[in-house]
């Protein structure tokens, strides 16, 4: 069913996303596909997903299954479509996106900028705070339930003074303790500033009743970001750099003698290192949203569409047996998520889709179209080789396994 009725639709969804949209968001998650795991000697496979940006009028989601997490998936997803008009992809910190887009530019002359996710940046600080007890400090002392969001700095100063008094009146290495306190306060400030970015964007989004595709909204959020967010972003990275200057052991720093460029690596002996590293490593890509109103602060929209895949794994199955089954699953996920994004009832859409495709097939027949696969459910096909032992079974989703449904024009 999916190969016949859904695959032509998902092919068109992918083309429209890459040709009509300026911004998309991408993510990937694991999926166990027995046939691919055995064929490629892998421990797991991956589902790659992409969805349209929040300012796009065209709302859609698309998925594909792969035996690898390699950057080559970026080439397959984007490089396989003509007339790509994308400006930006928003993703997490996975380096495969950098290499994939670099290869895409080299091989296909397609230039796309990569924006990083502030939610992932914030999450690293959140996880450190949760493990160190600072999250409780942030919620109960710095921004308690009855406090104004603007009270943060006043409360931080009071917290810092109280902790300083404790250190000075206590025993142990006071210099080291005071230095650690400065680091904690700096990280709490960064966390607060990142939250402030979301407050600014949220105010604009709510002000337009969540209609983010209008020209008025795009103009308004661009103005707000340049007026307010740009200064906050500067403060975030200034604060992060100051942390490393005051406490160099937070990161392992390497300087290229030829170019003078500075490279940061994680210091596994410091729990704070992961959060500060993400912030400084992706500074340029985290700044992109300021000057491009179509770029979202985070790739949370891509993570949301991935929840349908994750929930299916957790509640429906532990693995998929065949590659055809996995491709059918991703076709189904593409259609379901696209329906959800457009607030279209899935069941009613599928009933309409089957009737509409059969109608279009009948019109093709009436115009003289002939194919032995017409109105037949596709399946794996036996291909005869030169010798008696050379025959093999061609997968249902093999590009050479052409069926009448592939000739349908599903636009409109």
């Amino acid at each position: 069913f999916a190969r016949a009725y859904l695959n032509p639709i998902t092919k068109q969804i992918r083309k429209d996303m890459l040709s009509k949209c300026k911004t998309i968001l991408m993510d990937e998650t694991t999926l166990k596909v027995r046939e691919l795991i055995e064929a490629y000697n892998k421990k797991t496979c991956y589902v790659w997903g992409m969805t349209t940006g929040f300012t796009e009028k065209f709302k859609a989601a698309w998925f594909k299954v792969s035996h690898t997490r390699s950057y080559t998936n970026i080439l397959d997803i984007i490089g396989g479509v003509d007339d790509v008009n994308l400006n930006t992809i928003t993703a997490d910190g996975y380096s495969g996106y950098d290499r994939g887009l670099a290869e895409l530019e080299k091989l296909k002359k397609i230039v796309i900028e990569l924006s990083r996710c502030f939610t992932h940046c914030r999450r690293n600080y959140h996880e450190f705070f949760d493990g160190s007890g600072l999250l409780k400090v942030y919620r109960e002392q710095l921004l308690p339930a009855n406090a104004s969001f603007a009270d943060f700095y006043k409360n931080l100063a009071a917290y810092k003074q109280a902790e300083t008094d404790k250190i000075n009146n206590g025993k142990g290495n006071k210099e080291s303790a005071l230095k650690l306190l400065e680091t904690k306060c700096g990280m709490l400030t960064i966390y607060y500033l990142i939250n402030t970015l979301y407050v600014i964007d949220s105010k604009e989004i709510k002000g337009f009743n969540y209609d983010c595709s209008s020209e008025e909204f795009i103009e308004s959020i661009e103005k707000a970001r340049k007026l307010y967010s740009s200064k906050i972003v500067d403060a975030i990275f200034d604060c992060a750099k100051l942390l490393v200057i005051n406490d160099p052991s937070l990161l392992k720093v390497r300087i290229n003698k030829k170019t003078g460029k500075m490279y940061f690596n994680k210091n596994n002996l410091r729990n704070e290192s992961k959060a500060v590293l993400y912030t400084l490593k992706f500074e340029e890509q985290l700044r992109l949203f300021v000057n491009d109103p179509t770029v979202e602060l985070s790739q949370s929209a891509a993570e949301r569409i991935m929840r349908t895949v994750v929930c299916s794994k957790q509640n429906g199955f532990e693995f998929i047996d065949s590659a055809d089954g996995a491709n059918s699953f991703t076709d189904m996920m593409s259609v379901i998520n696209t329906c959800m994004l457009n607030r279209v009832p899935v069941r009613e859409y599928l009933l309409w889709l089957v009737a509409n495709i059969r109608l279009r097939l009948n019109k093709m027949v009436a115009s003289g179209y002939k194919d032995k696969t017409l109105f037949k459910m596709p399946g794996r096909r036996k291909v005869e080789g030169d010798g008696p032992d050379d025959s093999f079974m061609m997968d249902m989703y093999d590009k050479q396994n052409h069926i009448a449904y592939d000739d349908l024009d599903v636009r409109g």
Side-chain angles (χ1 to χ4, degrees):
F1 174 82
R3 173 65 180 90
Y5 289 97
L6 303 186
N7 190 247
I9 303 300
T10 60
K11 287 179 179 176
Q12 190 62 47
I13 287 174
R14 175 191 172 202
K15 289 179 182 177
D16 288 345
M17 288 179 70
L18 298 178
S19 62
K20 294 180 179 180
C21 298
K22 298 299 182 184
T23 304
I24 62 168
L25 304 92
M26 295 188 70
D27 198 13
E28 69 287 333
T29 189
T30 58
L31 178 70
K32 291 187 181 296
V33 183
R34 183 196 58 79
E35 188 176 52
L36 294 178
I37 288 173
E38 292 180 356
Y40 293 95
N41 192 27
K42 298 284 186 178
K43 291 183 178 180
T44 191
C45 299
Y46 293 87
V47 172
W48 288 71
M50 62 180 181
T51 187
T52 49
F54 72 147
T55 60
E56 302 293 345
K57 288 182 170 62
F58 179 74
K59 305 292 184 184
W62 183 85
F63 298 83
K64 70 160 283 189
V65 67
S66 174
H67 68 277
T68 177
R69 201 188 178 200
S70 166
Y71 73 93
T72 54
N73 286 284
I74 304 295
L75 299 178
D76 293 338
I77 293 169
I78 301 172
V81 173
D82 297 327
D83 301 322
V84 175
N85 289 315
L86 276 181
N87 290 336
T88 312
I89 292 176
T90 302
D92 55 21
Y94 175 46
S95 61
Y97 292 104
D98 295 278
R99 186 173 178 187
L101 292 180
E103 290 294 321
L104 195 65
E105 182 177 356
K106 184 193 302 183
L107 299 175
K108 298 282 187 175
K109 308 302 179 186
I110 299 174
V111 180
I112 300 173
E113 286 191 294
L114 180 60
S115 171
R116 296 296 185 180
C117 171
F118 257 109
T119 296
H120 279 77
C121 184
R122 178 186 180 276
R123 188 178 298 163
N124 291 326
Y125 289 93
H126 187 91
E127 290 173 353
F128 169 69
F129 293 162
D130 192 29
S132 64
L134 286 176
L135 189 60
K136 186 177 180 180
V137 171
Y138 185 86
R139 290 174 173 173
E140 296 182 2
Q141 298 185 46
L142 305 185
L143 282 179
N146 60 343
S148 167
F149 196 72
D151 290 341
F152 172 81
Y153 289 109
K154 178 183 69 176
N155 294 338
L156 179 66
Y159 165 76
K160 185 177 180 181
Q161 184 60 53
E163 291 297 309
T164 301
D165 292 341
K166 287 181 184 178
I167 292 170
N168 289 330
N169 295 329
K171 298 180 181 180
N173 191 330
K174 295 181 181 180
E175 183 180 350
S176 178
L178 289 171
K179 189 176 183 180
L180 185 59
L181 177 62
E182 286 290 339
T183 299
K184 289 178 179 179
C185 290
M187 294 185 72
L188 286 165
T189 302
I190 293 172
Y191 185 74
Y192 167 78
L193 291 172
I194 293 173
N195 289 336
T196 307
L197 294 177
Y198 284 96
V199 170
I200 294 168
D201 269 25
S202 296
K203 183 180 178 182
E204 295 298 319
I205 292 169
K206 290 177 182 178
F208 283 82
N209 199 24
Y210 300 93
D211 178 15
C212 302
S213 59
S214 66
E215 292 298 325
E216 293 80 9
F217 169 78
I218 294 174
E219 183 179 330
S220 179
I221 198 169
E222 181 178 23
K223 183 179 179 181
R225 285 178 171 182
K226 288 184 176 179
L227 188 61
Y228 305 113
S229 301
S230 60
K231 297 178 179 63
I232 294 169
V233 168
D234 288 340
I236 287 172
F237 294 111
D238 286 346
C239 191
K241 291 169 185 174
L242 191 61
L243 282 176
V244 178
I245 292 171
N246 293 333
D247 191 355
S249 66
L250 276 174
L251 297 175
K252 293 180 179 179
V253 183
R254 179 174 60 87
I255 299 176
N256 188 311
K257 293 181 180 179
K258 292 183 179 179
T259 63
K261 190 174 181 179
M262 188 178 293
Y263 295 91
F264 301 100
N265 292 307
K266 182 182 175 183
N267 183 355
N268 292 323
L269 299 177
R270 297 293 299 271
N271 293 329
E272 308 95 321
S273 186
K274 182 180 178 182
V276 179
L277 175 63
Y278 188 100
T279 307
L280 294 177
K281 182 178 180 181
F282 298 121
E283 176 181 356
E284 183 179 342
Q285 294 165 331
L286 285 167
R287 285 181 178 272
L288 281 179
F289 83 98
V290 173
N291 296 313
D292 188 345
T294 66
V295 175
E296 295 185 51
L297 272 173
S298 77
Q299 51 126 211
S300 295
E303 291 188 339
R304 284 195 293 273
I305 66 167
M306 278 297 179
R307 285 177 188 169
T308 54
V309 177
V310 175
C311 288
S312 297
K313 292 191 299 179
Q314 291 176 343
N315 302 301
F317 54 83
E318 291 185 9
F319 65 92
I320 294 178
D321 189 60
S322 67
D324 283 338
N327 284 306
S328 297
F329 172 68
T330 54
D331 278 346
M332 186 65 76
M333 289 294 101
S334 298
V335 171
I336 288 173
N337 279 278
T338 299
C339 284
M340 288 165 53
L341 289 170
N342 291 280
R343 300 182 180 181
V344 174
V346 177
R347 180 176 178 275
E348 286 77 0
Y349 173 77
L350 291 175
L351 291 172
W352 173 86
L353 178 65
V354 171
N356 189 273
I357 284 181
R358 293 184 71 84
L359 174 64
R360 296 189 185 206
L361 285 175
N362 280 315
K363 287 183 177 179
M364 289 169 61
V365 173
S367 64
Y369 180 84
K370 293 181 180 180
D371 193 292
K372 63 181 181 180
T373 63
L374 267 169
F375 299 105
K376 292 182 179 179
M377 284 291 99
R380 300 181 77 186
R381 180 162 58 89
K382 187 175 182 179
V383 178
E384 300 293 341
D386 296 332
D389 298 327
D390 294 334
S391 62
F392 64 95
M393 295 298 294
M394 182 184 292
D395 285 345
M396 187 166 57
Y397 276 82
D398 193 297
K399 292 181 180 179
Q400 296 181 0
N401 195 353
H402 182 272
I403 59 175
Y405 295 87
D406 294 330
D407 295 328
L408 278 167
D409 184 357
V410 297
R411 293 173 294 177

